[in-house]
C-alpha cells in the first residue's frame, strides 16, 4: 500500500516539475468540423434521402400526368367542335408543345420528342406561308408539289424528307380529328386518354381515312416492303 502511494507521490512531483509542452500540430479539418457541430445534429441516411427525393419525384410525376390529362381533354373538346382541322390548328398545337415549361428546363429541352416538335412547328409555319393557314391535310396531300416542299424545307432549314414526315404527322392528326368529330355527331363517348385514343385509331382509323390518305398508306407500305426485299437480297 505504501509502495503504491510512494509511486503516486513521485509521479505527481515529476509532473509538477516538468514543463508543459504546447502542441503546434493542427488537428484534421474533419475533427474541427465535428467539434463545431451541435451534438444533436444528424445527417440524413441514404435511405432517407431516397425517400425524400422519391416523394418529390412522385409529386412531380403526378402533377405532370394531371397537366397532360387536362391538355388531352382540351384537345379532344376542341377537335370534337371543329368542322375541319387546319394547318393553323396543327401549328398551334405544336407551338403549345414547344412552349411547354418542361421544354425550358436544361436537359429536358434536348429530348428527342421536343426537338421533333420544334422542327415540325418550324416546318408548319413555313407551310402556312406557302399554302395558307386554312389549308387542310387533304389540300396539302393533293396540291403540294415537290417544288413547294423544297421551298418549305429551305424556309424552315430542314430537308424535303423532314417536310414529308411533318405532312404524315398532319395526316395522322387529321384522322384523329375525323374519328372524334364523327363520334361527337353520333353521340358516342369520346376518348378520355391517349390509350383509348390509340384504340379508336386502330378500330375506326381506316374508315375515317380519305381516299388520298388510304392511297398514301398503301404507297408507304409498298415502299417499306420494297426496302425490306432490298435488304434481304444484300
Amino acid at each position: 500500500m505504501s509502495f503504491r502511494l510512494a509511486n503516486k507521490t513521485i509521479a505527481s512531483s515529476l509532473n509538477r516539475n516538468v514543463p508543459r509542452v504546447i502542441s503546434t500540430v493542427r488537428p484534421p479539418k474533419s475533427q474541427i468540423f465535428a467539434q463545431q457541430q451541435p451534438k444533436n445534429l444528424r445527417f440524413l441516411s441514404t435511405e432517407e434521402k431516397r425517400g425524400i427525393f422519391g416523394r418529390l419525384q412522385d409529386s412531380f410525376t403526378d402533377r405532370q400526368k394531371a397537366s397532360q390529362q387536362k391538355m388531352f381533354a382540351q384537345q379532344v373538346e376542341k377537335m370534337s367542335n371543329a368542322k375541319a382541322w387546319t394547318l393553323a390548328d396543327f401549328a398551334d398545337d405544336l407551338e403549345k408543345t414547344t412552349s411547354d415549361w418542361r421544354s425550358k428546363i436544361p436537359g429536358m429541352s434536348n429530348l428527342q420528342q421536343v426537338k421533333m416538335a420544334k422542327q415540325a412547328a418550324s416546318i408548319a409555319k413555313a407551310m402556312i406561308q406557302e399554302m395558307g393557314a386554312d389549308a387542310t391535310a387533304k389540300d396539302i396531300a393533293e396540291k403540294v408539289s415537290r417544288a413547294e416542299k423544297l421551298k418549305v424545307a429551305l424556309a424552315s432549314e430542314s430537308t424535303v424528307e423532314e417536310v414529308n414526315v411533318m405532312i404524315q404527322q398532319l395526316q395522322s392528326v387529321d384522322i384523329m380529328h375525323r374519328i372524334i368529330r364523327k363520334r361527337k355527331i353520333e353521340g358516342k363517348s369520346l376518348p378520355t386518354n391517349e390509350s383509348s385514343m390509340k384504340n379508336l385509331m386502330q378500330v375506326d382509323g381506316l374508315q375515317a381515312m380519305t381516299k388520298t390518305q388510304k392511297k398514301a398508306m398503301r404507297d408507304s407500305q409498298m415502299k417499306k416492303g420494297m426496302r425490306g426485299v432490298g435488304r434481304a437480297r444484300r
Side-chain angles (χ1 to χ4, degrees):
M1 187 72 177
S2 59
F3 180 79
R4 291 178 185 173
L5 182 60
N7 282 340
K8 286 182 180 180
T9 303
I10 295 170
S12 176
S13 175
L14 289 172
N15 287 337
R16 282 197 299 269
N17 295 328
V18 176
R20 294 179 178 272
V21 179
I22 300 175
S23 175
T24 58
V25 179
R26 188 177 181 84
K29 289 184 178 180
S30 58
Q31 185 178 344
I32 296 174
F33 178 77
Q35 292 172 351
Q36 292 174 347
Q37 299 308 308
K39 292 183 179 180
N40 58 352
L41 180 67
R42 185 177 68 86
F43 292 99
L44 294 176
S45 66
T46 303
E47 290 298 323
E48 288 173 321
K49 288 178 182 178
R50 285 177 183 171
I52 292 172
F53 290 121
R55 287 193 293 272
L56 288 172
Q57 187 175 14
D58 291 342
S59 177
F60 173 80
T61 303
D62 291 341
R63 288 198 302 271
Q64 190 177 13
K65 286 180 179 178
S67 176
Q68 289 175 345
Q69 185 69 23
K70 183 179 178 181
M71 289 176 65
F72 182 83
Q74 291 173 346
Q75 180 78 347
V76 169
E77 182 67 19
K78 184 179 177 181
M79 282 187 163
S80 66
N81 294 321
K83 292 182 179 181
W85 201 252
T86 66
L87 188 56
D89 292 322
F90 180 69
D92 182 59
D93 287 338
L94 290 171
E95 190 67 30
K96 287 179 181 177
T97 301
T98 56
S99 62
D100 184 24
W101 63 268
R102 284 184 297 274
S103 66
K104 302 291 190 281
I105 300 175
M108 294 287 281
S109 59
N110 293 326
L111 291 176
Q112 190 64 23
Q113 289 183 347
V114 177
K115 281 186 176 181
M116 290 175 64
K118 287 181 178 180
Q119 185 180 53
S122 178
I123 295 171
K125 288 178 182 178
M127 185 70 75
I128 287 175
Q129 296 298 319
E130 197 67 32
M131 296 293 295
D134 294 332
T136 62
K138 182 180 178 182
D139 295 332
I140 293 172
E142 294 178 353
K143 298 177 182 179
V144 175
S145 64
R146 180 168 178 80
E148 287 170 325
K149 288 180 182 179
L150 183 58
K151 286 182 182 179
V152 171
L154 290 172
S156 59
E157 298 182 351
S158 55
T159 64
V160 173
E161 185 177 347
E162 288 167 342
V163 172
N164 287 332
V165 170
M166 189 281 293
I167 293 174
Q168 289 175 359
Q169 291 172 343
L170 175 61
Q171 298 294 336
S172 297
V173 174
D174 181 66
I175 295 169
M176 188 186 303
H177 164 259
R178 288 174 179 274
I179 293 172
I180 293 174
R181 176 69 176 168
K182 186 172 183 290
R183 293 183 72 87
K184 174 72 179 287
I185 294 172
E186 294 176 352
K188 295 181 179 179
S189 61
L190 300 178
T192 56
N193 50 47
E194 291 183 7
S195 179
S196 58
M197 186 69 243
K198 287 179 182 178
N199 291 334
L200 286 176
M201 289 283 283
Q202 291 176 351
V203 175
D204 300 336
L206 193 60
Q207 295 178 355
M209 287 183 183
T210 63
K211 291 181 180 179
T212 304
Q213 288 169 339
K214 289 178 181 178
K215 182 179 181 302
M217 185 181 71
R218 287 195 299 269
D219 292 344
S220 177
Q221 290 175 343
M222 190 177 296
K223 286 179 181 178
K224 288 180 180 178
M226 291 176 67
R227 287 193 198 120
V229 172
R231 289 189 191 124
R233 286 178 179 175
R234 290 175 191 172

